[in-house]
């Protein structure tokens, strides 16, 4: 079983955390993406934590998990903190393949996506 | 003349600010997006500020400017701070049409983009 864990920073504003959980649900609802399960987890300030999110996926049968950082830049959170959190569970479950994908900000699609947001707004004039 | 101003938070880490400037250049280099100019600006910690970015576009002939917030959630920065910074220049230049587009996190394309990042990483196994 193959799973994706979307990892966000987490916010004191519960609405922002809920946006991330809704995004994970929206990802799960797409067809043909190759993941049997998609869940959200948070680096801090919200639940579940990254280790707890990984453990829940493993408990539900995940044998391969891809962690996708929902972050725009390669700051300390992406470079150090997320790998360190993931490593805790790698050590507990050496039989499960856990990898960290490139963070959102690296996506090739980003320039087009941002131009699309601007064009949609500008189309009324 | 129509312009797009990509607005990021700004970071103490200059590499992150440079990532945003590179993204704006990458957007500008695309064809057929309908903007004569694409530049980056920052809410804090980096230059140019939002008002200075808008003023530079206006000085170079922009008559319509779309501000695109490079933010993932609707926190205070998106809801209050960016509109307040934009409003300073609206007041100075009532002849220029300045609008704020929806922030990045609202994009319909986001679920697909994140699944794509995860699938690219997972494709080696």
């Amino acid at each position: 079983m193959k799973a994706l864990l979307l990892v966000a920073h987490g916010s004191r504003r519960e609405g922002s955390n809920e946006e991330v959980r809704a995004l994970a649900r929206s990802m799960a609802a797409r067809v043909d993406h190759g993941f049997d399960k998609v869940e959200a987890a948070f680096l801090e300030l919200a639940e579940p934590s990254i280790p707890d999110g990984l453990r829940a996926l493993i408990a539900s049968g995940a044998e391969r998990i891809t962690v996708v950082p929902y972050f725009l830049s390669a700051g300390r959170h992406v470079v150090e903190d997320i790998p360190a959190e993931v490593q805790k569970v790698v050590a507990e479950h050496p039989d499960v393949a856990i990898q960290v994908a490139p963070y959102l900000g690296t996506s090739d699609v980003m320039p087009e996506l941002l131009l699309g947001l601007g064009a949609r707004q500008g189309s009324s004039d």
Side-chain angles (χ1 to χ4, degrees), chain A:
Chain A
M1 202 265 254
K2 204 167 162 183
L4 186 153
L5 189 67
L6 180 67
V7 169
H9 184 277
S11 171
R12 282 187 187 79
R13 193 176 149 276
E14 189 49 36
S16 293
N17 302 327
E18 197 41 54
E19 276 185 80
V20 176
R21 294 186 192 105
L23 180 56
R25 287 193 295 273
S26 168
M27 291 165 69
R30 305 267 156 155
V31 291
D32 291 336
H33 52 66
F35 295 99
D36 303 294
K37 209 153 190 175
V38 178
E39 297 288 350
F42 300 90
L43 185 60
E44 55 189 53
L45 302 171
E47 296 293 328
S49 67
I50 297 172
D52 284 351
L54 290 170
R55 287 176 193 127
L57 287 171
I58 292 168
S60 74
E63 291 151 331
R64 300 188 217 168
I65 306 174
T66 303
V67 173
V68 178
Y70 189 54
F71 283 76
L72 294 176
S73 66
R76 187 172 46 83
H77 292 321
V78 165
V79 175
E80 297 175 20
D81 300 343
I82 292 175
E85 292 298 296
V86 169
Q87 194 52 41
K88 292 178 189 172
V89 179
V90 168
E92 290 168 19
H93 294 276
D95 49 319
V96 178
I98 307 179
Q99 348 180 264
V100 181
Y103 63 97
L104 169 62
T106 62
S107 171
D108 298 343
V109 188
M110 191 59 82
E112 206 172 335
L113 189 164
L114 292 164
L115 286 164
L117 283 171
R120 205 167 46 176
Q121 186 69 5
S123 65
S124 58
D125 47 37

